[in-house]
Amino acid sequence: ASETPEHDVIVIGGGPGGYVAAIKAAQEGLKTACIEKRGALGGTCLNVGCIPSKSLLNNSHIYHQILHDVKNLEGVKLNLTQMMKAKETSVSGLTKGIEYLFKKNGVDYIKGTGTLTGENEIKVNPLDGGEAQTYRAKNIIIATGSEATPFPGLEIDEKRVVTSTGAIALTEVPKKMIVIGGGIIGLEMGSVWSRLGAEVTVVEYLGAIGGPGMDADMAKTMQKILSKQGMKFKLNTKVLGGDVNADDIKIKIEAAKGGKEEQLDADVVLVAIGRRPYTSGLGLENVGIETDERGRIVIDQEYRTKIPHIRVIGDVTFGAMLAHKAEEEGIAAVEYISKGHGHVNYGAIPSVMYTHPEAAWVGQTEQEVKATGKPYNIGSFPFSANSRAKTNLDTEGMVKFITDKETDRILGIHIIGPNAGEMIAEGVLALEYGASSEDIGRTSHAHPTLSEAFKEAAMAAYSKPIHA
Ligand code: FAD
Ligand code: NAD
């Protein structure tokens, strides 16, 4: 292997965590490289995650809305090939955008698989199959992300038994789809195919949908809304296994507590039971870096492994598996390197589920606040009483504030409603600034906007709303 000049920072992985870290490091004046093995920048999020799924969610929503809500249109037909092309156009435009940003900021883009071979040394096997190269770096940032957790006994072929990667690329609408796992991926991808005509059944082990972290009230409301849209739910239900036959797939289920076995059939099964850290081929064992029982690379508060100049960010370590969380960590990790301090407020990372309506939340759930024993207030306001939502004929959902009863400080905000993912930004800022519900209630919100529901829910927490 030949050797190259030393870098100040080498980032392994070009996803939202890694590419943001690389750009930030270059902006800080550090000689930086980013190694990525998939042949495109942007990681899971841009190539097979956030972006393609949101393209399909947006277009399937438009199709569904035209078909079901606009009554006087005839001859509306689905063009799935076109829908997939639109998705690919968004993805390729955005990956090229990151390549441009790398060039603009002077980040060396190394295409290949990086393996740690020493505390300051990475061997790269190039994507094009050329000779392996050894790179040396003063600092290394690992951002290798995550992969879908497989379901034991169900072999993924990404055509009929799929993870989200196959689910964003089906070539026809399945008649029947079973989704194993009622978390965010299950509900987003289930929504896409349900809107396009599939009969979707979600099998969830727990008693609520939405995955870990969703407020119980909100999960119940969301389940009602999605059920009305045609999705079926089997909660408290365990999948025992499945048989993939030539004509269909049979999935055996039973009540989580045990009971009578039942069988469901489908032509496509989506496995969406969570994601796990990805470290295969990374060579952690060569340098003695540890992972925990769930495969997450162990780090301290400054993202350092036990080799202090090797830091780790994003899905491959602790915390929520979210693109914006990985990005925040990318910036903070670089700031620790360049300035000696960095900052991420883990109490104010928003979550958004891009169904229709969207669900979005930040801070604590009501069940978490209740568990602390601290007295609290709830203020909520339904979109059915909001003038803009009524004008848009889009009135499902509500805004819910949870505040400290003594101080009125906001503890959590939970929204189900049109554009909840945009609206939650105001809540995140409020939490960052340590705001009270009265701070929001006394802030003027334009009329007629959906955000008036946000203000009125805040008013409901410390006083009374006007319009409900
Ligand atoms: P990744 O994005 O996984 O990137 C890691 C990169 O490292 C990969 O490109 C991989 O090829 C590369 N790599 C791995 N090992 C090596 C190696 N040894 N050498 C070189 N390269 C390597 N999050 C949101 O916030 N919003 C959403 O709407 C959203 N939607 C999602 C939808 C789906 C279907 C999925 C699957 C995920 C979604 N997520 C969403 C989660 C989001 O994609 C992840 O949290 C995010 O991508 C994590 O970023 P990362 O940089 O840590 O890792
Ligand atoms: P998740 O953790 O959100 O949900 C998995 C669900 O599967 C949980 O409800 C869990 O109880 C259930 N489950 C686990 N094992 C099961 C089993 N054997 N049988 C039935 N149900 C089972 O995971 P996900 O939906 O796969 O998403 C993975 C990650 O990707 C999440 O961390 C999520 O935050 C991220 N993601 C985010 C977005 C977004 O921000 N909009 C979108 C997609 C994915």
Side-chain angles (χ1 to χ4, degrees):
S2 62
E3 287 208 10
T4 59
E6 186 172 76
H7 283 85
D8 293 317
V9 178
I10 294 186
V11 183
I12 309 179
Y19 87 72
V20 167
I23 292 173
K24 182 70 187 171
Q27 287 174 349
E28 294 287 291
L30 302 167
K31 182 173 165 51
T32 305
C34 179
I35 306 168
E36 170 55 60
K37 68 173 184 169
R38 77 168 66 228
L41 293 168
T44 303
C45 178
L46 210 166
N47 292 283
V48 290
C50 328
I51 298 300
S53 64
K54 263 83 262 179
S55 168
L56 294 178
L57 277 157
N58 187 50
N59 286 327
S60 63
H61 173 62
I62 294 170
Y63 168 75
H64 189 257
Q65 200 175 25
I66 291 174
L67 204 64
H68 292 270
D69 298 350
V70 186
K71 308 280 186 238
N72 56 356
L73 272 182
E74 274 175 25
V76 178
K77 274 216 309 250
L78 172 68
N79 186 337
L80 188 59
T81 312
Q82 202 51 42
M83 206 177 267
M84 291 296 168
K85 267 195 197 144
K87 174 198 76 173
E88 280 144 28
T89 306
S90 304
V91 169
S92 68
L94 285 165
T95 57
K96 286 193 193 101
I98 304 174
E99 276 193 49
Y100 161 77
L101 291 175
F102 270 16
K103 279 200 191 107
K104 186 178 156 194
N105 288 284
V107 176
D108 297 329
Y109 174 20
I110 302 167
K111 296 180 188 168
T113 304
T115 305
L116 293 161
T117 45
E119 293 193 357
N120 295 87
E121 198 182 83
I122 303 165
K123 188 179 87 182
V124 177
N125 281 312
L127 254 188
D128 63 13
E131 191 199 348
Q133 291 253 328
T134 297
Y135 293 83
R136 292 188 55 76
K138 290 194 184 102
N139 297 280
I140 294 171
I141 298 179
I142 297 174
T144 49
S146 62
E147 62 179 354
T149 306
F151 190 92
L154 260 183
E155 201 178 322
I156 305 286
D157 62 13
E158 296 296 11
K159 296 222 155 28
R160 295 169 67 209
V161 181
V162 298
T163 66
S164 52
T165 301
I168 55 165
L170 297 179
T171 49
E172 44 184 303
V173 180
K175 278 204 188 66
K176 286 186 180 179
M177 181 179 215
I178 294 172
V179 177
I180 308 179
I184 303 220
I185 292 186
L187 300 181
E188 286 187 354
M189 293 320 300
S191 284
V192 166
W193 294 107
S194 161
R195 292 167 187 171
L196 299 182
E199 188 186 295
V200 175
T201 305
V202 176
V203 183
E204 166 59 50
Y205 187 77
L206 299 177
I209 61 167
M214 196 167 184
D215 183 86
D217 262 0
M218 295 287 158
K220 257 189 231 142
T221 305
M222 201 63 194
Q223 192 187 335
K224 265 191 217 144
I225 293 173
L226 294 176
S227 299
K228 260 206 291 188
Q229 292 174 12
M231 281 168 76
K232 296 200 174 109
F233 293 95
K234 289 203 167 282
L235 303 188
N236 297 306
T237 303
K238 186 159 65 180
V239 172
L240 301 169
D243 290 321
V244 182
N245 309 311
D247 301 335
D248 68 356
I249 304 167
K250 307 253 185 253
I251 295 289
K252 290 188 206 83
I253 56 169
E254 69 171 29
K257 285 189 196 140
K260 215 176 87 198
E261 193 177 305
E262 259 186 83
Q263 192 165 275
L264 301 174
D265 62 296
D267 33 3
V268 172
V269 174
L270 164 61
V271 177
I273 57 170
R275 293 179 62 82
R276 61 183 187 190
Y278 181 80
T279 53
S280 157
L282 184 58
L284 292 179
E285 62 290 352
N286 299 339
V287 287
I289 291 179
E290 291 159 6
T291 54
D292 72 357
E293 74 292 346
R294 286 164 62 184
R296 299 174 294 195
I297 303 180
V298 178
I299 49 166
D300 68 9
Q301 303 243 328
E302 299 183 10
Y303 311 102
R304 290 176 302 203
T305 60
K306 65 186 201 191
I307 302 165
H309 60 266
I310 302 185
R311 294 176 200 256
V312 187
I313 57 168
D315 280 14
V316 74
T317 186
F318 308 114
M321 288 186 168
L322 293 172
H324 43 284
K325 175 264 192 189
E327 293 185 25
E328 296 300 329
E329 290 183 343
I331 290 178
V334 167
E335 286 181 337
Y336 273 115
I337 294 169
S338 63
K339 299 186 169 76
H341 53 85
H343 163 83
V344 177
N345 179 359
Y346 289 96
I349 305 262
S351 292
V352 181
M353 182 161 86
Y354 297 84
T355 45
H356 190 87
E358 292 176 352
W361 62 96
V362 65
Q364 291 176 290
T365 60
E366 187 174 347
Q367 56 270 28
E368 281 166 350
V369 174
K370 202 179 256 170
T372 64
K374 210 192 273 182
Y376 62 92
N377 281 335
I378 296 285
S380 66
F381 190 85
F383 281 101
S384 57
N386 170 272
S387 56
R388 186 63 181 276
K390 270 194 134 41
T391 324
N392 293 349
L393 305 177
D394 205 355
T395 53
E396 279 180 315
M398 78 274 217
V399 181
K400 169 176 167 180
F401 273 70
I402 307 165
T403 56
D404 186 311
K405 204 178 184 96
E406 273 163 37
T407 63
D408 189 33
R409 192 181 174 131
I410 299 165
L411 302 173
I413 301 174
H414 304 267
I415 309 171
I416 289 179
N419 276 331
E422 302 291 341
M423 189 178 288
I424 200 66
E426 185 179 357
V428 180
L429 198 64
L431 237 70
E432 278 284 357
Y433 282 22
S436 64
S437 69
E438 194 167 351
D439 288 329
I440 305 278
R442 292 189 180 278
T443 302
S444 175
H445 288 65
H447 177 75
T449 61
L450 298 169
S451 71
E452 288 172 289
F454 192 84
K455 172 189 163 105
E456 295 229 47
M459 289 171 84
Y462 71 91
S463 169
K464 285 197 170 102
I466 300 296
H467 295 95

